[in-house]
Amino acid sequence: MDVRVAHCLLLWALHIFPAAPRNPLRVLSKESKTSDQQDGCVNLIPCKDNGAICVQPCSSSFHGETSFVCKDRKWQMFTDACASLDVQSLFQRISESELLPSSGGHVSAAGEHLPFVGEGKPVHGKPGHGGKYFGADDHGNSNCRADFSCIIPEILSSPAIPGNIADIVELLKKIALLLSKNVNRGKMQSYSKIANHILNNSIISNWAFVKDRNASLILLDSVNSFAGKLLLRNGSESIQEHFISTKGYSIHKNTSGKSFDFSMEFNNTGNITGHVVIPEEELLKLPKASKAVSVALPTLGAIIETSRLDPGFVNGMVLSVSLPEELRHILLTFEKVNKLENVKAECVGWHSMERRWDNRACTMKSDNISSVVCVCRHHRRTFKSFSILMSPTMLRNAALDYITRVGLGLSIFSLVLCLIIEAVVWHHVTKTEITYMRHFCLVNIATSLLVADVLFILAAIVHQKTLNYQLCVAATFFLHFFYLALFFWMFALGLLILYGLLFVFFKITRSAFIATAFSIGYGCPLVISVLTVAITEPKNGYLRSGACWLNWYETKALLAFVVPALSIIVVNVFVVLVVVVKTGRSSVGEGCKSQDLTNMIRISKNVALLTPLLGLTWGFGLATIVDSRSLAFHITFALLNAFQGFFILLFGTLLDRKTREALRMSCLSSKRKCSLAKDSEAPPV
């Protein structure tokens, strides 16, 4: 997994550069300007421009090119397209052997006579290569027509370097698209041998340097397409390689529940298992006899993570299923690769249209330390492949969900009550400039948090109930904006406190304060939010996979929230320290030791009042980063922030003496008005 992090920068540079010209070396800056350089892209020679791309041709025995990216003044490999295979020649051998008759001859483009398949004359390749006879194996037999076997030795003898991986994926894609008629056992065996060569667990890290980041997904689609057309002999078929296994059965409505069992090598520590069951009630839906084919790929999940920087940690084999349209629900059992206790497992399906793991395809039936049972929804165009995700940083504890739900509900209620109270007492508590500014900030803090909490719930609903990508983008944008607005208004309140403590003789007008506060509270968040979506959305890097929230793994869009929030927390911690120092100094010189306790109580009260209002509770999120497995840290963070609205009502409104007095006066005034109204309505005696 570590190789993903080393190469997550500058993904935008993958496909924008032309093929290598005659110059032996190209260095391209971030503005894509080309310049010549005599030295090679090696770590010994420092590079100047961070983010520059250097492209070098391969050695004479390979074709293609290798690109390097400048990072920390050193050239680091970015993509490697050097290949030794000729995928066009390989495909030509098997495609012509499919289409041409097995005797006679034909004339080449150069006008020379070439033998057809079966004549045993060398046409393609070098002596000693697996493809030295056009359409024939080492004994001159025309096996390519039946099972593509003539190209197998050449592919298996080639190194599984990134360039060859890309070429083999392209070859498998072409075979699945153009040569998938009459897929018999021989063809499926050859296809599996070719795929197995690039699915080996020892070369997973090489996928990080494959130029096309979607190569692993193209491989998955090709395997599913080709295996789905497998012809069954005597009602069943089973083809096993180390890292790909295919099984098929004939099924009909009178069949009892069918199952596929897989036990496959994953790494040197041993095998992992997978189990697919088609329930009997599903089979009753079949109008006629049909077939079911399943493919197990134990290493593909790790390959997808490595090549696409996907945040989902796949913790089991990938199981693909090809079923008739009438069958929709299947039961899958996955053995866990890493059998960890305090983490959450999630059943997912691969959404082939959106190219991401989607938890809406499956529901979890059971989960224990060694395996997970999932009920998944099969769809021929969207969901055909399934697995389990495991997030080591996601704690499995019902208390966290309960705290979040109860806290959000109480927070929303408290904030609505806070705004109602502020509206009632507004004219009583805003008679001076400083109190007006304080309550103005408090109202906007409460409003921003209220809208953000409501949007948080709506974003969760949007993610669970709909596949509308644009709606998810909109929800994320406004959620990002209002959470930022919350922090910037807390920042404005912190500045106001500093102004009241340090600049006693400097007066600011109400209009100047409102203009400045609105610029800080809503202007800055708007600029940051708009820039974030404008920069990352065109590259499909705005949203994270599996949630309506900012992306982290591909584009680091989440930094547009984390950096401003943490910066404001640091500033507001300084504000609290200034308040503590000022409060302590106010009692110095009073000459009475009994004042020490009173002084400590006053300081503690001020800290307690300011902590939720200035957002310091969010600082506890750092503890969950330092020790992400500590349940105590997660519960503390959830308690403090889910209940932040309640704390704002309590410390910002109810514990403020002037607000309480104004509220009491309003209540007395209302009672007096009610009594006067009753007296006026009473009939005269």
Side-chain angles (χ1 to χ4, degrees), residues 245-258:
S245 178
T246 306
K247 295 186 179 183
Y249 292 105
S250 296
I251 53 175
H252 50 85
K253 64 169 58 179
N254 296 323
T255 310
S256 58
K258 274 290 180 184

Side-chain angles (χ1 to χ4, degrees), residues 289-412:
S290 187
K291 68 177 179 180
V293 178
S294 183
V295 182
L297 303 154
T299 58
L300 187 64
I303 289 172
I304 291 175
E305 295 169 29
T306 301
S307 58
R308 298 191 75 238
L309 313 176
D310 199 280
F313 173 51
V314 179
N315 200 37
M317 63 171 59
V318 175
L319 291 174
S320 294
V321 185
S322 179
L323 299 174
E325 288 186 359
E326 294 81 8
L327 306 186
R328 291 300 176 92
H329 294 93
I330 51 177
L331 198 67
L332 303 105
T333 303
F334 299 93
E335 181 185 355
K336 296 178 181 178
V337 177
N338 293 319
K339 298 173 176 61
L340 306 172
E341 291 187 13
N342 295 320
V343 292
K344 181 180 178 181
E346 187 175 32
C347 300
V348 292
W350 183 259
H351 198 300
S352 57
M353 307 295 288
E354 299 182 4
R355 291 188 167 181
R356 63 180 179 86
W357 292 114
D358 195 329
N359 58 8
R360 288 167 287 189
C362 302
T363 57
M364 185 182 296
K365 187 174 182 181
S366 67
D367 180 13
N368 57 51
I369 193 171
S370 60
S371 64
V372 178
V373 180
C374 308
V375 178
C376 295
R377 174 168 53 93
H378 174 270
H379 192 278
R380 300 185 78 173
R381 283 183 293 181
T382 51
F383 297 117
K384 295 177 70 174
S385 303
F386 309 92
S387 191
I388 53 172
L389 298 186
M390 192 73 70
S391 176
T393 58
M394 188 181 296
L395 294 168
R396 180 176 59 194
N397 194 290
L400 290 174
D401 292 335
Y402 182 78
I403 290 170
T404 302
R405 291 170 184 171
V406 173
L408 279 176
L410 182 60
S411 180
I412 291 172

Side-chain angles (χ1 to χ4, degrees), residues 3 12 114 183 290 293 334 349 368 425 485 492 549 564 578 581 583 612 671:
V3 73
W12 52 267
L114 296 177
V183 180
S290 187
V293 178
F334 299 93
N368 57 51
V425 303
W549 186 231
V578 172
V581 171
T583 306
K671 287 181 180 179

Side-chain angles (χ1 to χ4, degrees), residues 40-151:
C41 311
V42 294
N43 290 335
L44 297 177
I45 302 173
C47 52
K48 298 177 182 179
D49 189 9
N50 235 23
I53 300 293
C54 176
V55 181
Q56 269 191 319
C58 306
S59 61
S60 57
S61 55
F62 296 89
H63 60 85
E65 60 186 23
T66 305
S67 63
F68 298 81
V69 62
C70 181
K71 184 179 179 183
D72 299 329
R73 297 183 61 81
K74 291 183 179 179
W75 291 114
Q76 297 185 12
M77 184 181 289
F78 188 45
T79 61
D80 181 5
C82 295
S84 59
L85 292 172
D86 184 353
V87 65
Q88 200 65 31
S89 172
L90 292 172
F91 182 73
Q92 187 179 6
R93 296 179 207 172
I94 56 178
S95 61
E96 290 186 4
S97 67
E98 273 276 307
L99 301 173
L100 297 177
S102 57
S103 61
H106 73 284
V107 180
S108 70
E112 55 185 339
H113 181 81
L114 296 177
F116 282 140
V117 178
E119 288 189 36
K121 301 293 180 68
V123 176
H124 293 287
K126 299 177 182 179
H129 282 205
K132 60 187 176 182
Y133 295 109
F134 176 61
D137 62 12
D138 289 336
H139 303 288
N141 299 321
S142 55
N143 288 339
C144 263
R145 159 183 280 225
D147 57 14
F148 314 147
S149 62
C150 65
I151 64 173

